[in-house]
Amino acid sequence: MDVFSADERSRIMGRIGGKNTRPELRVRKLLHALGYRFRIHRKDLPGTPDVVFPGRRAVIFVHGCFWHRHEGCPRATTPATNRDFWERKFRSNTKRDAERIEQLGRLGYRCLVVWECETKNLERLAERLTAFLRREDVPDGQTLRRR
Ligand SMILES: [Zn+2]
């Protein structure tokens, strides 16, 4: 029994540990359009965040709903076969994700997770990204010192 259609399978397999995935490119393109400047895949930061705003001390992870277990999302299915394997795998993924966000927080970085399914509605995504990034625009002592 095959739990995935050919389409689903290629969508999922193409995403394993993938950088420059389509949802990620969509986020980057949108950030450009909104006028933000950023770096990508900074290997010196925990988890190699997909998008980094060094001046704002902010990072964005673009996560696939299946692998990173977007809670309540219809894409976060669990394959019917080898359930133990998948559940272990998913647990280790989400644990690692949480650890990275914690490590980044200790380094003074704010993190935003953008889920793959959230990159479908660009208008809403733009609002979300802007809200996240604007929080740092409020001038406070720390912000000024960093610039
Ligand atoms: Zn989702």
Side-chain angles (χ1 to χ4, degrees):
M1 187 186 80
D2 211 347
V3 289
F4 297 122
S5 69
D7 252 21
E8 275 175 325
R9 181 172 299 281
S10 84
R11 185 168 61 79
I12 291 162
M13 298 315 269
R15 203 138 295 160
I16 298 178
K19 291 288 171 195
N20 300 312
T21 57
R22 219 174 310 161
E24 197 187 316
L25 293 177
R26 230 176 274 146
V27 170
R28 273 151 56 180
K29 211 170 146 190
L30 184 57
L31 286 166
H32 266 306
L34 292 169
Y36 289 106
R37 300 184 148 261
F38 51 86
R39 308 276 300 275
I40 57 168
H41 306 155
R42 280 265 306 263
K43 291 195 179 63
D44 56 324
L45 291 177
T48 315
D50 298 314
V51 181
V52 181
F53 304 86
R56 296 167 192 274
R57 299 291 265 193
V59 305
I60 294 175
F61 287 101
V62 183
H63 278 171
C65 300
F66 177 77
W67 287 106
H68 297 270
R69 309 316 280 168
H70 187 194
E71 243 181 280
C73 177
R75 294 180 188 212
T77 54
T78 301
T81 50
N82 295 321
R83 258 197 122 78
D84 281 356
F85 163 82
W86 288 106
E87 277 165 10
R88 243 191 336 268
K89 173 85 188 134
F90 293 146
R91 258 199 310 277
S92 95
N93 283 357
T94 50
K95 186 166 171 258
R96 200 177 49 220
D97 289 342
E99 282 166 2
R100 285 168 172 175
I101 287 174
E102 211 184 293
Q103 288 165 351
L104 283 158
R106 277 201 293 273
L107 294 170
Y109 283 88
R110 296 187 307 123
C111 303
L112 177 73
V113 171
V114 171
W115 295 99
E116 167 193 3
C117 66
E118 292 175 323
T119 63
K120 294 288 173 200
N121 184 336
L122 289 183
E123 217 169 300
R124 244 171 71 196
L125 180 60
E127 277 170 22
R128 189 140 183 263
L129 295 172
T130 308
F132 171 69
L133 291 167
R134 276 201 184 143
R135 242 188 289 173
E136 272 281 321
D137 282 348
V138 182
D140 61 14
Q142 274 186 322
T143 311
L144 295 176
R145 250 198 322 279
R146 279 185 203 127
R147 275 177 190 156

